[in-house]
Amino acid sequence: VTSGKYEVQVVPALSDNYMYMLIDKASRTAAVVDPVEPEKLVQHAQEQGVTITVVLTTHNHWDHAGGNNKLKGILPDVHIYGGVGDNAEGVQTELSDQQQLPFGSLKITTLYTPCHTPGHVCFFVDPEDGTPPSVFTGDTLFVGGCGNFNAGTPQMMTEAFLKLGSLPPDTLVWVGHEYTAANFQYCAFVEPSNALVVDKASWVQQQRSQGNATVPSLLAEELETNPFMRAAQAVPSVMAHTGAQEPWQAMKFVREEKSSGSWKS
């Protein structure tokens, strides 16, 4: 995906991870997100004629941060960023909420979203030129889904989703894993009469049957289809499904229900 100022390229890794290369067109420099297989990204950068200068680490799990030290060994001049208190491999600078990181002609803003890990962070890029911004959400927000609450509470994930949900609706959403087909089975269970869920589920099946990625999503689509985002937003149909009074209770319900697998029977 390309805009006037920047380009995002998807580089698959491991079995279902996504690494990303964010290219600033003006400087021909690249920031890489979660470079778990760094050799792939180094080769990709050479093919694109860009220089990797920055690493953006969403969280400390090995399948996201596990390539940081190796990449630093290959490219000693890169600077590695992560979230405060996450203690991710190789991170030189930990960032808190709403910190701005200059990158070529762009600026990257951190969105602190602890819950999946103690210091999980998302990275927001707004080119401010009328073309869509992008957000890299790691294992917090998935297409139609949500990360596990390994280090936090339903309230914390609700807060994270409200923060992400307040971004411009045309924001492109780049997630950490290709979990979309399974996620949309659950979306359809929660809201069987949501026509947008039915339509996107069909599109997802078609994409995956052809071996294509389902990223990027649009934030507007997440607001209309993702049961976790809709729980955070207290959308009536999702609140009715959960029987909850408060958004955090609905978030707790959908996370526990999806994880249990009982809805599949």
Side-chain angles (χ1 to χ4, degrees):
V1 170
T2 184
S3 85
K5 284 188 178 179
Y6 79 101
E7 191 171 338
V8 176
Q9 298 183 356
V10 183
V11 182
L14 307 177
S15 60
D16 55 29
N17 281 68
Y18 287 130
M19 306 182 291
Y20 297 103
M21 184 170 286
L22 168 66
I23 298 171
D24 173 59
K25 290 183 172 183
S27 62
R28 300 303 294 167
T29 54
V32 293
V33 181
D34 293 348
V36 63
E37 293 190 74
E39 300 92 342
K40 281 187 181 179
L41 288 168
V42 170
Q43 182 181 347
H44 191 71
Q46 289 170 345
E47 290 167 357
Q48 298 296 314
V50 298
T51 303
I52 298 171
T53 59
V54 167
V55 174
L56 304 173
T57 309
T58 62
H59 65 291
N60 64 26
H61 289 166
W62 75 269
D63 59 324
H64 295 262
N68 284 356
N69 286 339
K70 185 182 276 191
L71 182 60
K72 185 79 171 171
I74 301 169
L75 301 173
D77 292 337
V78 300
H79 196 89
I80 305 176
Y81 295 90
V84 166
D86 216 45
N87 298 314
E89 177 183 305
V91 167
Q92 296 163 273
T93 304
E94 289 193 334
L95 303 168
S96 56
D97 196 44
Q98 298 295 325
Q99 285 196 254
Q100 291 197 338
L101 184 65
F103 168 65
S105 67
L106 303 165
K107 54 177 192 287
I108 299 166
T109 304
T110 55
L111 302 170
Y112 197 53
T113 54
C115 184
H116 185 69
T117 62
H120 192 294
V121 68
C122 301
F123 298 98
F124 178 68
V125 183
D126 188 349
E128 298 177 338
D129 64 356
T131 57
S134 282
V135 66
F136 300 90
T137 59
D139 285 5
T140 291
L141 169 66
F142 294 121
V143 183
C146 174
N148 288 317
F149 308 170
N150 300 315
T153 63
Q155 290 94 331
M156 289 167 71
M157 194 60 90
T158 301
E159 190 176 320
F161 269 60
L162 288 173
K163 194 176 289 187
L164 292 166
S166 70
L167 297 175
D170 65 342
T171 301
L172 300 168
V173 179
W174 308 90
V175 306
H177 292 268
E178 183 54 68
Y179 291 162
T180 313
N183 287 345
F184 265 81
Q185 291 175 9
Y186 182 64
C187 297
F189 174 78
V190 176
E191 293 190 278
S193 59
N194 183 333
L196 294 171
V197 167
V198 173
D199 288 349
K200 186 154 182 176
S202 173
W203 174 83
V204 167
Q205 283 186 322
Q206 183 181 24
Q207 287 293 101
R208 296 307 296 149
S209 69
Q210 295 169 2
N212 296 329
T214 59
V215 287
S217 183
L218 268 181
L219 184 63
E221 293 181 6
E222 296 306 309
L223 288 163
E224 295 291 343
T225 61
N226 185 318
F228 299 90
M229 182 65 79
R230 289 165 73 74
Q233 304 275 341
V235 172
S237 52
V238 174
M239 298 303 282
H241 174 82
T242 64
Q245 300 299 311
E246 299 292 335
W248 72 265
Q249 295 169 328
M251 177 70 80
K252 180 175 188 284
F253 183 97
V254 289
R255 179 66 276 166
E256 290 177 353
E257 181 178 65
K258 182 172 191 292
S259 296
S260 75
S262 59
W263 55 276
K264 294 179 185 178
S265 56

